[in-house]
Amino acid sequence: MRGFGENPECPGSAARGTLGQLAAPGSGAPAEGTIPGSPGRLRVDDVPLAGSQLETARQYAELLAEFEQFREYLPDALLEVELPSMRVTFMNSIAKSLLGYTVDDILAGVYGWQLLEPESLQRAIALADLSLDRQVRQGRPYERRPGQYLDRYTVIRKDGTPVAVEAQGAFIVDGRGVPAGARFLFRDISDRLARDQERTRLAAIVESAEDAIVSRDLEGRILSWNRGAERLYGYTAAEMVGQTADVLAPPGAEGEVREFAERVRRGESVHVTTRRRRRDGTVFDVELSLFPVRDEQGRVTAMAGIARDISERLRMTQELERTNRLLAALTRAQRDFIRGGDPERVFGALLELLVELTGSEVGFIGEVEQGPGGEPQMVPRAFVHPPTGEFEAFRAAAMPGEGRFANLATLFGHTLRTGEPVIANDPAADPRAGGIPPGHPELRSYLGIPIESRGALVGLVGLANRPGGYTEELVAFVQPVLTTCATVIEALRAEQRRAEAERQLALALDGSEVTLWDWDIPARRLRVVAGDAGGLAPEDTTEAAWLERVHPDDRAGLVAAFRAHQRGETEVLESEHRYRTPGGEWRWVLVRGRATERDQCGQAVRASGSLLDVTRRKEAELERERLELLVRQAQKLESLGVLAGGIAHDFNNLLTAVLGNLYLLRQALPGDPALRELVDDASHAAERGASLVRRLLTFGRPDIDQAEAVDLDAVIADAVALARPMVEPTVRLVVRGARERGRVLGSATALEQVLVNLFVNARDAMPGGGTITVTRSTTELGARRRWAPPELPRGRYHVVAVRDTGTGIPPEILEKIFDPFFTTKPVGRGSGLGLPMALAIARAHGGWLSAESSPGRGSTFRLLLPVLQDGETG
């Protein structure tokens, strides 16, 4: 350890002499009588003293105690060794903590050569020998030279861990001035060395960093300026240290530099993208981070900043963004056009983006067509220009007639004639311009690029008035737009040709109500080729989706017809069936076709044909059949009514005579009970016959002679109240009224009889229970009617509908339900006159009774009665 009062002239010299020899390991134990920890020291009690000597000794003892306390609690580590053995005689608390030894370790024997790594031990011995050579070995007492001499050593802890220390030392001399020991003060500097190394490393990083790293004091003066800053700004460190950063601000932005500095002084961190100026005056974009530098108490003592040139990154980002926007616009334009978008709008969107991305003021996209004489002309598809009357006036003058540019003695005319691009950054002096046309708005620069498709000129893109003019790089940038425009123009022309072909085909198919279809059998897809029979079929659908629209009752027949033709069993595919349109309407169609391709086994793999909407013909046939049925039914009822009325009158007269004679016979008979019983049975049978006659008379000529204004809602309520005990509890009876008042002219009793009869029939149709729903509405009966025969007058009618959820009525039975005496009920359960009488009552009121039903879906009976207007009476 350096110290010992010396500042050697030859540091690191080899140890030599007696001390070096004594310091060797195993040099011996302390001299006999020496007190460990206090080499050569006597105790007061060892010497007999008296009087003033005793007082002096006591004072000395007190000073010695204070000295011991001072040594123990020094702020630095203190260690003492005896010479020449180098045995440790004392360690204060800090030294023991630093080196890891205890008092017991010291008493057991710890030596100085154990506490230093070899190189540090050699240097310490050499320095001690040098000090002895200068004084003691020359016969002079040792005397420590004034001043503080520190050196760095590496000490070894008890656990073997090396620790860097900063130390100073001195010899402990005896009464003769001869060194008897040595005393060392030292402190752990590991943390300080680590900090110094970190500062050195950080300084190297800062100095070698590509970014500009600058520190400033709180007044804004530059303290450090690394090489990155020299490269970025062009100023050297010598030029900038001590200066302010105002010189780096672009003109007019000095206040920003001061504003940022003030924010950092307040403790903020600033992260911004801004602009700075180089020594040569160029202004560039930087990414700037400023932050405060704080001391151990957290106070801001300086400012630091990192700056990075992002001009190229921003340029690349902007270029990438511009390219991405262009590609996105091209994708969107193609998608919109493919989806059937307006081509003019597609061209307009492309042109607006192109003008914006190139920084132009004016732009146009045009399609090239041939003029009457075969010369090329341009038809504008999109135009962008400032909203001034000057441009509008020039466009109107330059595009007379059909709105075409035909002046070939112009810059764009040069492209039309030659198919070559034109870059003219001085249009007025460009020989290709042929002179700017009169009235042309100011033209400062112009770029014309041809649009080609398969080697032919199909269009032209023009841009004008870009600051700084146009370049070949810009021509390359807009190439994707040209490709898209060429695609759109070609697609537009192909679409026009296809539309014309379809128009011709549509003219041929017009009025025929025919749709042409193509069937890809392996793929199970049907495609509409041309025509549209009333919007029946989607353009492209699967076989399963097509069948899903076919009426369930007709589906099996259609599939059988298709499969039979596919197998070659029929020459022509033909099927007439019901088909549901996309709007949900059922239509009758006639499908005809034949196989156009077959595989090796003769199986059809492709078929084509037609689909004809025959709904009107089918409806006419069904309507004719329905009207014929209604007419037959009306005629039959009329005939039966006349017949029943005539028979009933004659039979009623006969029954009157029979009943009268039976009455007289009963009066004349003696009191024989058996004979009276026979007469009573005959009378009862005759009365039943009379009741049947009355019902026949009602069927033939219902009794509504006492016609009056009848409230239909009241009639319905009375009929429901009368029928409810007969239908409940297994059947639920629901009534839904109407907002409009329901008044008819007729007999409330007769109408109530009709409704009760319908309720009872509905109950019988639901043996397992169900719901009867009664509704009233109003309808206008016109030429096309569904629920009434043709002879029923037109006008407004009340409709009382009785719906049930029963088993339904098969078609063959539905035709007969209004025939007198026809019934499906068991014997004794019905006479077959209920519905015929109900229909007769409806007809007597000037109305009708209709029925609709299908098996499993219940039945609906509708009673039609003429509306009685307010003010009308019977």
Side-chain angles (χ1 to χ4, degrees):
M1 297 182 179
R2 186 185 298 180
F4 301 99
E6 297 297 332
N7 184 10
E9 298 176 358
C10 303
S13 59
R16 63 187 184 277
T18 307
L19 185 60
Q21 296 170 357
L22 293 175
S27 58
E32 186 178 351
T34 301
I35 301 173
S38 300
R41 184 175 296 118
L42 296 176
R43 292 179 297 178
V44 176
D45 295 337
D46 292 339
V47 181
L49 298 174
S52 61
Q53 290 180 336
L54 181 59
E55 181 61 28
T56 299
R58 286 177 178 166
Q59 291 177 0
Y60 175 77
E62 290 176 0
L63 290 175
L64 184 60
E66 291 179 3
F67 175 69
E68 292 296 337
Q69 186 177 12
F70 169 75
R71 287 199 308 164
E72 181 66 27
Y73 298 107
L74 274 174
D76 288 331
L78 175 63
L79 179 144
E80 295 178 355
V81 298
E82 68 177 6
L83 295 177
S85 68
M86 293 190 68
R87 178 168 177 166
V88 175
T89 58
F90 177 79
M91 287 187 193
N92 70 350
S93 58
I94 293 180
K96 287 183 285 191
S97 175
L98 175 61
L99 297 175
Y101 288 98
T102 64
V103 174
D104 292 337
D105 293 331
I106 297 171
L107 293 174
V110 177
Y111 295 88
W113 47 266
Q114 295 178 263
L115 304 179
L116 289 172
E117 55 89 25
E119 192 275 333
S120 295
L121 177 62
Q122 292 298 325
R123 283 196 295 114
I125 294 174
L127 291 175
D129 282 345
L130 181 61
S131 180
L132 291 173
D133 287 344
R134 287 179 176 175
Q135 297 182 40
V136 177
R137 293 197 179 109
Q138 295 181 10
R140 291 179 294 168
Y142 169 74
E143 185 175 327
R144 189 180 187 280
R145 299 178 64 183
Q148 231 183 8
Y149 305 102
L150 301 175
D151 202 358
R152 292 180 180 175
Y153 295 94
T154 301
V155 300
I156 306 299
R157 291 171 48 85
K158 180 182 177 181
D159 60 7
T161 305
V163 180
V165 299
E166 191 175 64
Q168 60 180 329
F171 284 116
I172 303 173
V173 298
D174 57 12
R176 299 172 297 156
V178 176
R183 181 179 293 119
F184 301 93
L185 278 175
F186 57 97
R187 62 174 60 93
D188 184 355
I189 61 171
S190 301
D191 292 342
R192 192 178 75 190
L193 289 179
R195 288 195 297 269
D196 290 344
Q197 291 173 356
E198 182 65 17
R199 279 195 294 269
T200 302
R201 188 179 68 84
L202 290 177
I205 292 173
V206 168
E207 190 61 24
S208 62
E210 290 295 325
D211 293 339
I213 303 177
V214 178
S215 64
R216 291 181 285 168
D217 62 18
L218 295 182
E219 301 302 321
R221 291 184 295 270
I222 294 173
L223 300 175
S224 64
W225 184 269
N226 74 335
R227 292 180 183 175
E230 291 181 345
R231 290 189 295 269
L232 182 63
Y233 295 111
Y235 293 98
T236 65
E239 292 173 314
M240 292 304 297
V241 171
Q243 304 297 321
T244 65
D246 290 351
V247 69
L248 305 178
E254 294 82 0
E256 180 190 75
V257 176
R258 291 190 286 273
E259 176 198 347
F260 291 164
E262 180 59 31
R263 289 172 59 184
V264 175
R265 276 194 291 270
R266 294 197 301 265
E268 295 183 37
S269 292
V270 178
H271 304 281
V272 294
T273 298
T274 184
R275 311 200 81 195
R276 287 293 180 260
R277 182 174 57 178
R278 292 190 177 92
R279 183 174 186 171
D280 61 7
T282 58
V283 177
F284 61 101
D285 296 289
V286 297
E287 190 176 71
L288 188 62
S289 295
L290 302 173
F291 46 90
V293 179
R294 302 178 185 272
D295 61 12
E296 295 179 353
Q297 286 73 40
R299 294 171 299 190
V300 178
T301 58
M303 298 177 288
I306 302 175
R308 177 177 297 171
D309 184 357
I310 59 171
S311 301
E312 182 63 19
R313 189 178 77 188
L314 286 181
R315 187 192 67 77
M316 294 181 63
T317 300
Q318 292 168 356
E319 184 69 20
L320 181 61
E321 180 183 354
R322 186 172 70 154
T323 303
N324 287 341
R325 289 184 60 193
L326 181 62
L327 294 178
L330 296 178
T331 303
R332 186 167 57 252
Q334 293 177 2
R335 184 186 65 239
D336 292 346
F337 183 74
I338 291 172
R339 292 179 177 177
D342 180 9
E344 305 297 329
R345 192 177 72 173
V346 171
F347 283 128
L350 283 175
L351 181 60
E352 288 179 3
L353 183 65
L354 196 58
V355 167
E356 177 190 347
L357 293 180
T358 60
S360 301
E361 186 179 287
V362 182
F364 66 83
I365 296 177
E367 182 179 357
V368 175
E369 295 183 354
Q370 299 298 317
E375 72 282 359
Q377 296 181 347
M378 188 189 74
V379 181
R381 295 301 181 189
F383 218 111
V384 172
H385 58 77
T388 62
E390 184 182 14
F391 275 92
E392 294 294 346
F394 175 74
R395 284 186 61 188
M399 293 189 300
E402 298 180 356
R404 296 167 177 255
F405 283 109
N407 185 2
L408 300 182
T410 57
L411 289 173
F412 79 83
H414 179 81
T415 302
L416 290 179
R417 287 185 287 106
T418 65
E420 299 175 353
V422 171
I423 298 177
N425 291 324
D426 186 7
D430 196 302
R432 296 170 294 185
I436 302 299
H440 196 291
E442 180 185 12
L443 191 63
R444 299 185 297 277
S445 57
Y446 172 80
L447 172 64
I449 317 173
I451 301 174
E452 296 182 345
S453 176
R454 293 193 292 269
L457 182 67
V458 297
L460 175 66
V461 171
L463 299 169
N465 296 349
R466 179 179 186 262
Y470 297 93
T471 63
E472 292 290 346
E473 289 77 14
L474 201 60
V475 174
F477 172 72
V478 302
Q479 281 302 319
V481 178
L482 304 180
T483 303
T484 298
C485 290
T487 301
V488 173
I489 290 173
E490 283 296 331
L492 184 60
R493 292 179 176 181
E495 180 68 18
Q496 290 170 345
R497 292 192 294 269
R498 186 188 65 80
E500 177 62 22
E502 288 186 354
R503 188 182 69 84
Q504 296 294 335
L505 180 60
L507 288 175
L509 296 175
D510 187 29
S512 66
E513 294 186 338
V514 174
T515 298
L516 303 183
W517 53 264
D518 179 74
W519 180 25
D520 186 345
I521 299 175
R524 296 183 176 274
R525 296 199 71 84
L526 282 159
R527 182 173 62 90
V528 172
V529 178
D532 187 3
L536 281 177
E539 291 185 357
D540 190 3
T541 186
T542 63
E543 180 182 304
W546 180 282
L547 288 175
E548 185 66 26
R549 292 181 178 272
V550 175
H551 195 282
D553 296 343
D554 304 337
R555 199 171 294 162
L558 176 64
V559 171
F562 265 80
R563 296 294 178 256
H565 184 67
Q566 182 184 3
R567 293 190 298 267
E569 297 173 3
T570 58
E571 283 219 24
V572 178
L573 165 67
E574 184 170 337
S575 172
E576 190 174 85
H577 58 271
R578 285 163 289 181
Y579 183 83
R580 189 178 71 251
T581 68
E585 179 186 5
W586 287 106
R587 309 281 290 177
W588 280 94
V589 296
L590 173 63
V591 174
R592 292 178 58 88
R594 68 175 60 246
T596 56
E597 295 181 27
R598 292 185 180 273
D599 60 16
Q600 299 175 356
C601 301
Q603 292 281 334
V605 295
R606 198 170 201 90
S608 299
S610 63
L611 181 148
L612 177 63
D613 186 353
V614 295
T615 303
R616 284 182 290 182
R617 188 197 75 192
K618 199 71 175 178
E619 287 180 345
E621 293 176 359
L622 294 174
E623 180 68 12
R624 184 176 66 252
E625 293 175 1
R626 189 183 65 82
L627 292 177
E628 290 175 355
L629 176 63
L630 289 174
V631 169
R632 288 197 306 271
Q633 190 176 51
Q635 291 173 345
K636 181 170 58 176
L637 291 174
E638 185 71 23
S639 302
L640 287 173
V642 173
L643 177 62
I647 293 175
H649 276 289
D650 294 340
F651 195 53
N652 193 45
N653 291 334
L654 294 175
L655 287 175
T656 300
V658 170
L659 286 170
N661 288 326
L662 287 173
Y663 175 78
L664 294 175
L665 180 60
R666 188 175 186 281
Q667 296 295 326
L669 285 174
D672 187 350
L675 293 176
R676 283 181 174 273
E677 185 177 353
L678 292 174
V679 172
D680 289 341
D681 288 344
S683 298
H684 182 65
E687 288 174 356
R688 288 182 61 189
S691 175
L692 180 61
V693 168
R694 286 194 297 274
R695 294 174 68 182
L696 285 173
L697 287 173
T698 300
F699 165 72
R701 186 172 56 252
D703 183 14
I704 56 169
D705 294 336
Q706 302 298 322
E708 59 182 356
V710 176
D711 185 347
L712 264 183
D713 291 328
V715 170
I716 293 172
D718 291 343
V720 168
L722 184 63
R724 198 178 295 277
M726 292 185 284
V727 301
E728 292 181 345
T730 59
V731 175
R732 182 167 168 258
L733 191 57
V734 179
V735 180
R736 296 174 181 169
R739 295 181 180 179
E740 185 179 355
R741 185 181 179 188
R743 297 174 68 247
V744 298
L745 187 65
S747 169
T749 302
L751 293 176
E752 182 180 306
Q753 179 184 351
V754 172
L755 293 177
V756 170
N757 184 276
L758 295 178
F759 296 158
V760 172
N761 284 346
R763 178 205 63 188
D764 293 342
M766 298 182 292
T771 302
I772 301 173
T773 304
V774 185
T775 60
R776 184 178 66 79
S777 60
T778 306
T779 187
E780 188 75 29
L781 201 61
R784 293 179 63 86
R785 53 188 66 193
R786 181 178 176 184
W787 305 323
E791 67 268 16
L792 198 67
R794 299 184 181 184
R796 288 177 59 78
Y797 286 79
H798 292 298
V799 181
V800 180
V802 179
R803 296 183 177 87
D804 64 61
T805 58
T807 56
I809 305 172
E812 62 275 11
I813 295 179
L814 189 63
E815 297 179 3
K816 303 176 182 178
I817 60 174
F818 292 108
D819 291 352
F821 305 109
F822 176 80
T823 180
T824 59
K825 296 179 181 179
V827 177
R829 291 284 304 276
S831 62
L833 287 175
L835 286 177
M837 289 176 58
L839 176 59
I841 293 172
R843 293 181 65 192
H845 283 77
W848 189 259
L849 180 64
S850 69
E852 285 185 355
S853 183
S854 59
R857 298 187 180 183
S859 305
T860 301
F861 286 83
R862 291 181 177 87
L863 175 63
L864 278 72
L865 299 170
V867 172
L868 179 64
Q869 303 294 337
D870 293 339
E872 293 185 27
T873 63

